[in-house]
Amino acid sequence: MTTTENNEQISRRLTEEVFEQKNYDVIDELVAEDFVLHDPSMPEPVRGREDYREMAEMGASIVDGRIEIDQLIAADDWVVSRWTQTGTHVGKMGNIEPTNEEVTITGIDINRFEDGKLAETWSEVNLLNMLMQVGAVPEDLFSPEPSAAD
């Protein structure tokens, strides 16, 4: 198996085993000890395997639902994943209490692998859409305002 194929397989396993099946023990096998996450939506920096585990557990406690990999592009030590999660908002997120509403979240992760483990991720998660779905942000936030002539 090539490095590219191996990294793609690890990326799929992280999505399926960690984030869907909540098998956090596999993190020790798949994530580098000095892992770094670059994600502006995270309240605290994620550095290291233990922080990765905490981040995965926190995410699972907020939205309970399936994650679909919409697109996976792999080349050498890099795997880009575009994903969609649909589920129920079951946990507190910051100051937002659980709504038990059905939500859909989308995101893109750019993952760098080193020595067969996930070493670094740049993540963009569309939290604004989720916040609109649970009523924390008005759904008409971007609708055009009537002009003074109307």
Side-chain angles (χ1 to χ4, degrees):
M1 182 179 303
T2 68
T3 299
T4 299
E5 291 169 330
N6 187 52
N7 292 337
E8 182 177 341
Q9 182 182 44
I10 293 168
S11 185
R12 286 185 188 281
R13 285 187 65 197
L14 285 164
T15 299
E16 294 166 5
E17 294 179 40
V18 174
F19 291 97
E20 280 191 25
Q21 300 167 11
K22 299 173 180 63
N23 177 6
Y24 304 115
D25 292 336
V26 77
I27 290 171
D28 292 338
E29 175 189 344
L30 303 177
V31 178
E33 194 170 319
D34 59 350
F35 170 83
V36 176
L37 173 67
H38 308 276
D39 183 347
S41 71
M42 292 300 294
E44 300 287 329
V46 175
R47 299 192 186 283
R49 187 182 293 147
E50 287 309 309
D51 279 2
Y52 185 95
R53 180 185 310 270
E54 288 176 25
M55 179 260 315
E57 291 174 354
M58 179 189 70
S61 73
I62 295 171
V63 176
D64 186 17
R66 181 155 172 75
I67 299 175
E68 293 283 334
I69 297 173
D70 301 316
Q71 191 172 24
L72 205 63
I73 303 168
D76 300 322
D77 292 332
W78 297 90
V79 178
V80 177
S81 176
R82 187 174 58 81
W83 52 267
T84 302
Q85 181 177 21
T86 302
T88 305
H89 174 221
V90 295
K92 188 172 182 176
M93 185 172 76
N95 294 327
I96 303 167
E97 295 294 330
T99 62
N100 295 312
E101 294 288 329
E102 182 86 3
V103 295
T104 299
I105 306 166
T106 58
I108 297 174
D109 295 328
I110 302 170
N111 298 308
R112 183 179 66 79
F113 292 84
E114 190 174 293
D115 299 324
K117 294 191 180 211
L118 178 62
E120 198 165 11
T121 298
W122 289 262
S123 188
E124 291 291 332
V125 180
N126 185 358
L127 289 179
L128 179 59
N129 191 38
M130 180 194 164
L131 294 172
M132 291 169 72
Q133 293 170 60
V134 300
V137 174
E139 286 188 29
D140 62 351
L141 180 67
F142 296 109
S143 64
E145 290 186 35
S147 67
D150 290 343

